[in-house]
Amino acid sequence: MSRPAAASLPTGLGAIARQNGITFGAAVQSGLLATDADYAAAFRREASMVVPEWEGKWGALQPTEGEFDTAPLDGILAWAKAQERLVRGHALVWHQHLPAWAEEALGQGPERATSIMQAHIRRVLAHTRASIRDWDVVNEVIADPPGSDTPQAGDLELRDSPFLRALGPAYIDEALRMARRADPLLRLTLNEYGIEEDTPAAAEKRRRLLALVRDLLSRGVPLDAVGLQGHLQLAKPFRPEPLTALITALRQAGLSVLITEMDIRETADAPQELAARDALVNERAYAFVSTALAAGVRTVFTWGLSDRYSWLTTDPSVAMPAPRTHRGLPLDASFRRNAMWEALRRAFAGA
Ligand code: 9MR
């Protein structure tokens, strides 16, 4: 198979973004960096920053209590150092990818819950202090309102998680304070999904998010940034105004706002024509990213670079009915630049 020579390829998204004062990065997997040369080349070409897709999660780092396994994360850190790329961290406190022992310990009373959170955060941040300067400290803490894809029962505004059951809403304060103490200059980020689109459920989640961060800040809880994941769906309407209003309100509260996990799910009845499908993805990606940039976002991450390894391809709960796969990342399953790549280029160039 003949490939275009590297020199003939236009500049990557990372460089295009940088020329316009923006950082572009993508979620990466350590194993693939080591085993798939095309994958590694794509990251070298396109991403100025990376975030571990799973290697920074609790279950990956501390599968057994007190026994930390940093090897997969270290693979990414070593690659990033060699390639002079920055790394952000994801995710210290999250209800998923939590090992059974931790879930059990969280159920053994507030003291035990606090102590395992403390130990985990301290140990992980001590390890990444020299290499990671921005961590998702708390991830997906807001309950999905009625009308969401996966609504939570009851009218609780915070997600019913093992952490909430152990410590109540204060677990969020605790996690952020622990992170601040463990690494005082670290940027502390709260990361959330389901808040970008123009649906009643997203509007309610935006309200909950703003109420939460305003409450945290008013009580002096340390928090520096909010990550909007940006897992978009073409089946849901998008309008710039609600997103602009959210980002503006967060920035007025003194927080930075990042796009942390962008990708796009097509509809099950997407057109057959590739060009027609791509036009829809391109339009949505441009509308979303250009709106975020105009509102002051300066960091954009996609959740992977290529459709080949995307959770939108590999996770049956979100995959497109076979044989088609979502074209929801900047590179297609053969690592060719596609519609989203072009939309990001255009949005970065115009910022
Ligand atoms: O893409 C990630 C997938 O490979 C992992 O198996 C899964 C569980 O750790 O997490 C996926 O990433 C999620 C991210 O951590 C948080 N936001 C939603 C992402 C997609 O599910």
Side-chain angles (χ1 to χ4, degrees):
M1 190 171 97
S2 79
R3 276 171 206 290
S8 71
L9 281 172
T11 314
L13 287 175
I16 295 168
R18 201 177 320 113
Q19 285 156 13
N20 296 281
I22 298 153
T23 303
F24 173 73
V28 75
Q29 298 185 42
S30 55
L32 295 172
L33 273 183
T35 55
D36 185 335
D38 291 338
Y39 178 91
F43 275 85
R44 280 199 303 276
R45 198 171 67 234
E46 307 287 356
S48 6
M49 207 166 164
V50 292
V51 59
E53 186 163 342
W54 58 266
E55 295 82 342
K57 292 169 183 173
W58 193 312
L61 288 170
Q62 197 184 177
T64 306
E65 184 165 15
E67 290 176 24
F68 286 78
D69 176 9
T70 59
L73 180 61
D74 290 343
I76 292 175
L77 296 178
W79 180 89
K81 191 169 183 197
Q83 301 297 330
E84 301 183 315
R85 308 302 154 106
L86 296 173
V87 185
R88 68 183 306 270
H90 171 85
L92 291 172
V93 168
W94 187 33
H95 63 286
Q96 281 186 40
H97 218 119
L98 199 56
W101 75 262
E103 205 154 334
E104 206 180 302
L106 289 168
Q108 291 164 349
E111 254 174 60
R112 173 103 169 99
T114 307
S115 127
I116 69 158
M117 264 174 63
Q118 172 86 280
H120 186 77
I121 291 174
R122 258 201 208 150
R123 177 73 179 261
V124 174
L125 293 187
H127 187 77
T128 61
R129 198 186 178 106
S131 48
I132 300 185
R133 304 311 309 143
D134 172 17
W135 263 95
D136 291 330
V137 178
V138 283
N139 190 36
E140 305 179 354
V141 299
I142 297 169
D144 284 319
S148 307
D149 296 342
T150 49
Q152 281 216 281
D155 48 15
L156 211 58
E157 297 203 357
L158 292 179
R159 173 183 298 280
D160 176 27
S161 78
F163 295 99
L164 185 81
R165 289 193 290 274
L167 296 169
Y171 88 87
I172 298 174
D173 312 12
E174 280 304 309
L176 290 162
R177 290 188 202 280
M178 287 169 182
R180 173 64 28 106
R181 280 197 299 271
D183 188 349
L185 298 181
L186 179 70
R187 176 151 86 171
L188 311 179
T189 301
L190 178 152
N191 197 40
E192 192 53 80
Y193 71 90
I195 38 190
E196 298 86 0
E197 284 149 333
D198 189 23
T199 63
E204 170 60 13
K205 216 166 169 180
R206 284 191 285 274
R207 191 191 65 71
R208 293 178 180 188
L209 174 73
L210 274 174
L212 170 65
V213 303
R214 285 179 175 145
D215 172 57
L216 293 171
L217 295 171
S218 75
R219 291 184 296 104
V221 176
L223 176 69
D224 304 305
V226 166
L228 310 179
Q229 293 188 2
H231 293 290
L232 306 179
Q233 300 183 36
L234 293 185
K236 298 189 175 167
F238 174 77
R239 219 162 36 93
E241 291 78 7
L243 181 65
T244 301
L246 173 70
I247 295 171
T248 305
L250 291 169
R251 295 188 64 222
Q252 277 167 356
L255 300 170
S256 298
V257 182
L258 297 74
I259 304 299
T260 50
E261 306 188 12
M262 181 187 175
D263 54 23
I264 297 184
R265 241 170 279 178
E266 297 180 76
T267 58
D269 60 355
Q272 287 301 327
E273 285 286 299
L274 225 52
R277 287 174 61 186
D278 282 358
L280 295 172
V281 172
N282 180 297
E283 181 193 25
R284 179 62 53 92
Y286 180 77
F288 176 65
V289 176
S290 61
T291 299
L293 296 177
V297 166
R298 283 294 165 270
T299 304
V300 177
F301 274 77
T302 50
W303 204 239
L305 275 177
S306 151
D307 297 330
R308 173 169 309 194
Y309 300 113
S310 167
W311 75 296
L312 298 181
T313 303
T314 57
D315 182 336
S317 71
V318 290
M320 244 182 150
R324 301 205 285 179
T325 50
H326 291 291
R327 290 169 65 79
L329 284 170
L331 305 178
D332 71 11
S334 310
F335 297 102
R336 280 186 300 250
R337 290 169 171 173
N338 65 14
M340 197 202 281
W341 191 94
E342 186 49 35
L344 293 178
R345 184 201 64 73
R346 207 152 51 92
F348 295 154

